[in-house]
Amino acid sequence: MNTNAPTGEFPSSTAPLAGVRVVEVSSFVAAPLCGMTLAQLGADVIRVDPIGGAADYRRWPLTDDGESIYWAGLNKGKRSFAADFRDPRAQDLIRDLIIDAGVLVTNAAGRSWLDHGTLAAIRPDLIHVQVLGRADGTGAVDYTVNAATGFPQVTGPENAGTPVNHVLPAWDVSCGLYAALSVASAVYRREITGAGTKVVLPLEDVAFATVGNLGYIAEAQLGGADRPRVGNAVYGTYGIDVETSDGARIMLVALTPRHFRDLTELTGTTAAVTALEQALGVDFRDEGSRFEHREVLTALFAPWFRRRSSGEATAALVGTSILHERYRTFAELAADPLVTANPMFRTLEQPRIGTYSAPSTPMSFDGEHPPVRPAPANGDDTAAVLAEHLGLTDDEIDALAADGTIRTNEKEPA
């Protein structure tokens, strides 16, 4: 059992999802993020993996000892159950755990013993959340889904001749949060009606829904021109990055007339901008006009920033309404008060990895962020889960471990 997360801590009786139990059979980002989010909100989440870990158990980045920092980050606060998925006895144990918990989150495909119909025939009020790549059941990942969305065609420098992918796995993250919302909604529905729920959530549809919700599909269908690449500019308003005297870059966004007025006053260009308006016959209170003439406007503003260090420019910007932020590296962010003084982050002693700042949920509840608990190693909690939820004795658990059906800390598989 994971000694860093004893049974009594799953979950706190005051946590939003206290009393909810979830079995997660997953890998990579979307489904594990769903489970971690539910665990952070107080659900007892049991991640079920093959002995030795699923495909993401050693995913980069790694420590010098080969431990996955990535895996630890997405599995905080869960319990780990490890079994031989090829063993029918293990399949029966996993099925019994799912039936006992009443909630399954999975992105595993092609396993009949995890099918909704098979499980719901035993427990009709089961909540079964299936994350797919595509709606037709074929495989897809964030980076292949992204290729179809249109975003790579408008991402990157204006003169880029090829599609540019974003590094952030945005669709995986969105999908994981949609999945967590699906579980919470289905649990509420079951509380009210007693009914179970089958949720199917294709990653591809998460991406396409987002493209549609942000207006890109409607714009195209209504005859809009193809979106151009605009580099770091913000489409439809004034937003651009500028360089300071020490080589730093700051992102500026002027969404409103007040933002823009403050920017012209700060940079001493009010008269020049007014003259530019008159010459062009436009009104820069309109954000579309600010976007269309962003290059000439930036030529007016940029010299002010080039004459000042990033510290001087930031100090001056703080006294205005202008939306701004200095570009940081991951290392700079890790050492910045944005992390070190942020109550969302807690110092976490993660076994096998080290001590570092780890985030709780972005949401606080009554002024408090939920606690941060470490991620388990593969099989840390197998014995405790079998004893607690299925009533197996120590002898029965030892026998299963000796046969290689399960993995426990107390007894490695033969």
Side-chain angles (χ1 to χ4, degrees):
M1 183 176 179
N2 180 2
T3 57
N4 289 283
T7 302
E9 293 184 11
F10 285 93
S12 163
S13 60
T14 60
L17 292 181
V20 175
R21 291 199 288 114
V22 179
V23 171
E24 173 197 324
V25 184
S26 71
S27 58
F28 297 110
V29 180
L33 176 62
C34 169
M36 186 191 71
T37 301
L38 297 171
Q40 289 180 318
L41 294 175
D44 179 0
V45 178
I46 302 168
R47 172 157 174 167
V48 176
D49 284 302
I51 293 173
D56 58 342
Y57 194 57
R58 301 292 179 189
R59 198 176 192 202
W60 287 15
L62 304 176
T63 66
D64 292 341
D65 295 329
E67 297 289 344
S68 174
I69 300 170
Y70 164 95
W71 198 90
L74 281 174
N75 291 282
K76 296 188 295 293
K78 302 177 186 178
R79 294 198 276 178
S80 174
F81 181 95
D84 181 356
F85 282 14
R86 298 165 297 182
D87 188 329
R89 292 175 298 173
Q91 295 173 13
D92 289 345
L93 290 171
I94 296 167
R95 178 203 61 202
D96 291 346
L97 286 174
I98 295 167
I99 297 305
D100 179 67
V103 181
L104 171 65
V105 174
T106 185
N107 61 354
R111 301 186 188 277
S112 59
W113 43 280
L114 292 178
D115 285 347
H116 172 264
T118 301
L119 297 168
I122 305 170
R123 179 162 180 173
D125 70 344
L126 176 73
I127 295 168
H128 187 288
V129 178
Q130 175 75 59
V131 175
L132 301 175
R134 295 187 175 93
D136 63 4
T138 56
V141 294
D142 185 286
Y143 304 100
T144 59
V145 165
N146 190 52
T149 64
F151 284 112
Q153 304 292 349
V154 297
T155 299
E158 295 181 49
N159 59 355
T162 61
V164 177
N165 291 333
H166 51 71
V167 177
L168 172 70
W171 312 126
D172 276 338
V173 172
S174 298
C175 186
L177 297 178
Y178 269 117
L181 177 62
S182 298
V183 171
S185 300
V187 167
Y188 177 76
R189 178 174 181 258
R190 185 168 65 186
E191 288 291 321
I192 300 299
T193 68
T197 306
K198 177 184 178 182
V199 178
V200 177
L201 182 60
L203 179 68
E204 186 177 63
D205 282 354
V206 169
F208 293 164
T210 304
V211 178
N213 290 337
L214 294 177
Y216 293 94
I217 290 176
E219 180 185 32
Q221 290 179 340
L222 296 172
D226 286 343
R227 286 283 184 101
R229 277 196 173 94
V230 296
N232 284 343
V234 180
Y235 181 81
T237 193
Y238 186 77
I240 198 65
D241 62 312
V242 292
E243 186 174 11
T244 57
S245 63
D246 51 358
R249 299 197 76 85
I250 296 175
M251 184 67 192
L252 306 172
V253 180
L255 288 175
T256 69
R258 180 189 174 192
H259 296 156
F260 189 72
R261 182 179 66 250
D262 280 5
L263 181 56
T264 64
E265 291 176 355
L266 177 70
T267 56
T269 58
T270 301
V273 168
T274 299
L276 182 62
E277 282 181 308
Q278 295 172 349
L280 295 173
V282 298
D283 184 348
F284 286 137
R285 289 176 297 182
D286 171 61
E287 62 178 342
S289 295
R290 297 196 293 272
F291 173 73
E292 290 176 347
H293 300 286
R294 63 192 179 279
E295 293 181 358
V296 66
L297 288 171
T298 301
L300 292 175
F301 303 145
W304 186 91
F305 291 91
R306 287 198 295 267
R307 293 192 298 267
R308 288 163 176 82
S309 68
S310 58
E312 292 168 337
T314 299
L317 285 163
V318 166
T320 73
S321 68
I322 304 163
L323 306 172
H324 66 279
E325 187 56 86
R326 181 175 63 83
Y327 285 87
R328 291 171 172 81
T329 65
F330 293 128
E332 288 173 325
L333 176 61
D336 194 280
L338 290 171
V339 168
T340 60
N342 188 333
M344 178 181 70
F345 284 86
R346 308 286 176 84
T347 299
L348 179 67
E349 294 183 8
Q350 174 61 54
R352 309 168 309 281
I353 302 289
T355 301
Y356 53 89
S357 297
S360 176
T361 66
M363 310 90 73
S364 62
F365 295 85
D366 299 322
E368 295 290 334
H369 292 275
V372 179
R373 299 190 299 264
N378 182 249
D380 264 358
D381 307 290
T382 304
V385 166
L386 289 175
E388 179 182 340
H389 294 304
L390 300 187
L392 272 65
T393 65
D394 288 346
D395 288 344
E396 290 171 324
I397 293 169
D398 286 346
L400 288 167
D403 289 344
T405 300
I406 61 172
R407 174 178 182 168
T408 71
N409 275 344
E410 294 76 19
K411 196 172 188 67
E412 295 299 320

